[in-house]
Amino acid sequence: AREKELSAFARGLSAFAGGDFPAALEAFLPAAEADPPSAAYAKKCRGLIERPPQDWDGVWVMTEK
């Protein structure tokens, strides 16, 4: 029943890891309201779009709880 949502999330993760934050954001946004992980990734994507990392290695280092 959640195949479409999970597929979009997987696309978002792939784009995120590859540094394509606009595409990742687009994949996470449809489910962000109802899905906390999608919302967290969407928020992170927005931040990375505003302040692109110098050397993106695909790792999201958590800096807050």
Side-chain angles (χ1 to χ4, degrees):
R2 296 191 62 205
E3 185 176 340
K4 184 178 177 183
E5 292 170 3
L6 293 174
S7 178
F9 191 83
R11 281 193 316 278
L13 284 179
S14 180
F16 183 85
D20 188 353
F21 307 119
L25 178 59
E26 186 177 317
F28 292 128
L29 278 179
E33 197 169 307
D35 181 50
S38 293
Y41 272 101
K43 179 179 177 184
K44 183 66 173 178
C45 287
R46 285 187 190 103
L48 291 169
I49 290 168
E50 290 176 13
R51 292 174 307 283
Q54 294 291 326
D55 297 316
W56 179 248
D57 61 1
V59 176
W60 175 2
V61 177
M62 302 295 283
T63 58
E64 59 186 48
K65 259 183 159 176

